[in-house]
């Protein structure tokens, strides 16, 4: 049997595989990361790893899972070590990362998570809980006070389940103990992710105790950040390939692309690791970068996911290998998105878009359209609807964006073009199934019924005939012609 990756087997790694270059054993925990998934392990944890090698500091990471024990179960026997594999057409380049020194599972022991968060040595809390983890209304960004988990956390402040619940309880303890607050850094694909975090946290705290709400609003910094690295879900095949390459078994390696970007609003009153030494861009205002990324990368991703999946493609690379799709994505970016962006001087948008198409085409990544299609109700507003609203205000056409929204509508009915069921994963999936059952596959009925879902579409867009007309027409075409033909026939 091949031995497990762990601190005691590290010296058996092939000599060409990079590994931690700092003293892990005595590293204090200065960061708590909430949402210990593959993305964090391939992104922020790598920046911290590299920063630690360049400039040692008290920045070990305690990773917290808010839901499942799987990552902790994989990492604990490995002493937190795991492999990051960068893959592209040139091959695979593994490295072993050690910055995650501790892993906790919140539902098993919320008190342990609160103890860690309340510890004075913790100065930064980074967050990747995905869009739905903020318990906000996607259309407005405000806390969803009717969310069952938020109601639970208000009733049980000492055993929370949600991000706002944990942060507020820990900050209340720090305040009572006279310990300075930590900085909260959101790393999710939301516009103004710092402001959204600050907003849901402040509102939640206020509902618990108005004084705490005020203290948090005054004292807790929630900078924004734009994160970018494509990290598909790891498969059993990936794991076997890593074992063969390393000669050690890693229960959960993460697979990613060469590209990585992190643009961070530099507002950390309690200090931070020297992330900029390894390429993080520390700026005063992240907004133009996050808008660029959400509207170009993530919007294209979602269109590829819904249209590509309906057209029968399993991965992003397969989808954009179809010239009709490659043309469509390019035109979507150039014609409908780029005119809505205002970038600071020096940002090379043309280069950025060209790089995006090359990244989507990476044949080694096998990024499933199904994975990206998840949670569309939480993603649509910032990926497509904001751009649409800007275009309509400018009196400009929205045909390709509308086809993307229509493809989402077609997808969430849960039946594909061949009549087979689609496994729709979305917090609103049950509602979409009911709507589809009521309207049937008729664009003129289905489109208005979905547009009436206010938490996604808000109140303005569904009243705009330019938008409702374009989406309904696109949906009718999708039913009549199929996704592949619609993409091909869109100039
Ligand atoms: C993707 C993102 O799953 C999705 O919705 O669009 O996870 C995407 O891969 C990342 O944002 C890339 O930085």
């Amino acid at each position: 049997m091949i031995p497990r990756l762990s601190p005691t087997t590290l010296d058996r790694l092939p000599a060409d595989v990079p590994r931690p270059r700092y003293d892990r054993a005595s590293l204090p925990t200065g960061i708590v990361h909430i949402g210990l998934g593959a993305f964090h392990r391939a992104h922020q944890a790598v920046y911290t790893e590299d920063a630690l090698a360049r400039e040692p500091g008290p920045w070990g990471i305690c990773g917290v899972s808010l839901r499942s024990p799987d990552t902790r179960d994989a990492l604990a026997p490995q002493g937190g070590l795991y492999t990051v594999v960068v893959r592209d057409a040139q091959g695979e380049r593994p490295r072993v990362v050690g910055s995650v020194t501790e892993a906790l599972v919140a539902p098993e022991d919320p008190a342990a998570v609160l103890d860690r968060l309340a510890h004075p040595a913790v100065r930064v809390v980074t967050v990747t809980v995905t869009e739905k983890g903020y318990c906000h209304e996607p259309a407005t960004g405000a806390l969803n006070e009717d969310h069952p988990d938020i109601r639970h956390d208000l009733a049980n402040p000492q055993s929370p389940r949600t991000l706002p619940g944990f942060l507020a309880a820990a900050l209340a303890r720090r305040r009572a103990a006279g310990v300075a607050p930590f900085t909260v850094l959101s790393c999710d694909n939301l516009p103004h992710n710092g402001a959204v975090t600050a907003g849901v946290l402040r509102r939640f705290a206020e509902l618990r105790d108005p004084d705490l709400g005020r203290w948090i609003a005054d004292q807790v910094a929630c900078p924004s950040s734009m994160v970018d690295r494509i990290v598909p879900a790891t498969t059993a095949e990936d794991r076997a390939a890593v074992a063969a390459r390393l000669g050690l078994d890693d229960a959960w390696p993460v697979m990613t692309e060469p590209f990585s970007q992190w643009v961070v609003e530099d507002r950390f009153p309690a200090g931070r690791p020297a992330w900029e030494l390894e390429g993080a861009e520390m700026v005063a205002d992240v907004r133009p970068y996050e808008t660029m990324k959400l509207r170009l990368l993530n919007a294209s991703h979602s269109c590829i996911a819904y249209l590509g999946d309906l057209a029968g493609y399993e991965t992003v690379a397969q989808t954009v290998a179809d010239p009709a799709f490659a043309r469509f994505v390019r035109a979507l970016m150039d014609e409908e998105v780029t005119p809505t962006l205002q970038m600071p001087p020096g940002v090379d948008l043309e280069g950025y878009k060209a790089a995006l198409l090359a990244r989507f085409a990476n044949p080694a990544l096998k990024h499933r359209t199904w994975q990206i299609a998840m949670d569309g109700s939480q993603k649509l507003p910032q990926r497509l609807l904001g751009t649409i609203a800007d275009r309509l205000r400018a009196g400009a056409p929205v045909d390709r964006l509308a086809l993307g929204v229509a493809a989402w509508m077609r997808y969430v009915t849960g039946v594909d073009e061949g009549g087979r069921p689609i496994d729709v994963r979305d917090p609103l999936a049950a509602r979409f199934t009911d709507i589809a059952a009521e309207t049937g596959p008729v664009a003129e009925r289905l489109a208005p019924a979905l547009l009436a879902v206010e938490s996604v579409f808000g109140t303005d867009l569904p009243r705009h005939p330019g938008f409702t007309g374009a989406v309904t027409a696109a949906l009718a075409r999708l039913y009549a012609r199929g996704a592949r033909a619609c993409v091909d026939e869109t100039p």
Side-chain angles (χ1 to χ4, degrees), residues 189 227-230 293 297-298 301 367 372 379 383:
N189 286 315
V227 291
D228 189 5
R229 194 166 210 190
I230 295 175
K293 194 245 168 177
L297 187 154
N298 296 110
H301 248 178
H367 197 188
I372 301 168
K379 294 174 175 172
R383 295 183 178 206

Side-chain angles (χ1 to χ4, degrees), residues 39 43 131 188-189 226-232 257 259 261 293-294 297-302 305-306 352 359-360 367-375 379 383:
F39 183 72
H43 191 274
E131 297 83 351
D188 279 298
N189 286 315
M226 179 270 249
V227 291
D228 189 5
R229 194 166 210 190
I230 295 175
V231 189
E257 60 174 342
F259 184 93
Q261 190 178 15
K293 194 245 168 177
L294 288 164
L297 187 154
N298 296 110
S300 300
H301 248 178
S302 289
Y306 299 118
Y352 182 78
R359 292 169 65 195
F360 294 157
H367 197 188
R368 293 181 67 196
T369 46
W370 177 80
Q371 187 184 349
I372 301 168
M374 262 186 248
D375 293 346
K379 294 174 175 172
R383 295 183 178 206

Side-chain angles (χ1 to χ4, degrees), residues 131-457:
E131 297 83 351
K132 60 178 178 280
Y134 291 78
C135 307
H136 68 308
E137 293 285 355
T140 62
L143 182 72
N144 174 1
E145 296 174 23
D146 291 329
H147 194 298
D149 289 340
I150 291 294
R151 290 222 296 261
H152 169 276
D153 287 5
L154 286 169
N156 307 276
Q158 294 321 317
S159 53
R161 293 178 180 157
T162 69
L163 174 73
F166 273 105
L167 294 177
L171 287 162
R173 274 179 53 180
R174 293 178 82 108
R175 177 178 177 232
V179 173
F182 42 67
T183 299
V184 185
L185 179 64
S186 168
C187 302
D188 279 298
N189 286 315
L190 290 169
H192 328 304
N193 53 15
V196 171
T197 308
V200 294
L201 172 58
R202 198 206 51 234
R203 181 65 189 144
F204 179 90
E206 225 168 61
L207 293 169
R208 259 188 66 174
D209 164 7
D211 281 347
L212 179 65
R214 259 191 301 278
W215 183 80
I216 287 179
D218 290 346
Q219 302 288 327
V220 181
C222 299
S224 284
S225 80
M226 179 270 249
V227 291
D228 189 5
R229 194 166 210 190
I230 295 175
V231 189
T234 306
T235 64
E237 246 181 351
D238 298 332
R239 187 181 148 182
V242 168
R245 172 74 171 80
L246 260 47
L248 293 173
D249 184 33
D250 179 345
W252 203 340
V254 289
M255 319 304 287
T256 188
E257 60 174 342
F259 184 93
S260 184
Q261 190 178 15
W262 199 9
V263 187
V264 184
E265 182 188 346
D266 201 1
R267 196 154 56 85
F268 293 82
R272 59 166 174 80
W275 289 315
E276 73 281 8
L277 295 179
E278 285 297 333
E281 298 158 68
M282 311 302 298
V283 301
D285 186 3
V286 176
R287 280 175 300 183
Y289 299 92
E290 59 187 17
T291 309
M292 170 187 81
K293 194 245 168 177
L294 288 164
R295 292 187 176 190
L296 289 171
L297 187 154
N298 296 110
S300 300
H301 248 178
S302 289
C303 290
I304 290 169
Y306 299 118
L307 288 162
D309 193 281
L310 290 173
Y313 293 122
E314 206 191 327
T315 68
V316 173
Q318 280 170 5
T319 311
V320 298
D322 178 337
F325 272 90
R327 205 176 47 239
F328 177 86
V329 172
R330 182 83 226 193
L332 173 77
M333 294 201 283
D334 288 345
E335 308 290 328
E336 297 191 16
V337 178
T338 304
T340 72
L341 302 176
Q342 280 133 28
M343 297 311 295
V347 174
D348 172 15
L349 264 187
E350 283 314 305
Y352 182 78
K353 288 187 281 187
L356 275 185
L357 288 169
R359 292 169 65 195
F360 294 157
N362 184 338
L365 270 187
K366 305 202 177 61
H367 197 188
R368 293 181 67 196
T369 46
W370 177 80
Q371 187 184 349
I372 301 168
M374 262 186 248
D375 293 346
S377 67
Q378 315 291 303
K379 294 174 175 172
L380 244 43
Q382 58 274 16
R383 295 183 178 206
L384 297 174
L385 305 180
T387 315
I388 290 176
D390 285 355
R391 297 277 294 165
L392 293 171
R393 258 193 297 277
V398 293
D399 298 328
R400 299 178 189 87
L401 292 157
L403 183 58
V405 175
W408 168 79
M409 293 178 162
R410 174 78 181 77
Y411 183 92
V412 298
T413 62
V415 182
D416 77 7
E417 291 183 358
R420 289 172 298 263
I422 302 176
D423 180 8
V424 178
R425 302 281 175 93
D426 194 292
L428 301 186
R431 180 142 174 223
F432 298 147
T433 309
D434 290 348
I435 290 176
E438 214 175 288
T439 67
V442 181
E444 291 70 18
R445 288 162 52 87
L446 179 60
L450 285 170
L451 290 172
V453 179
E454 199 178 312
S455 71
V456 179
F457 291 98

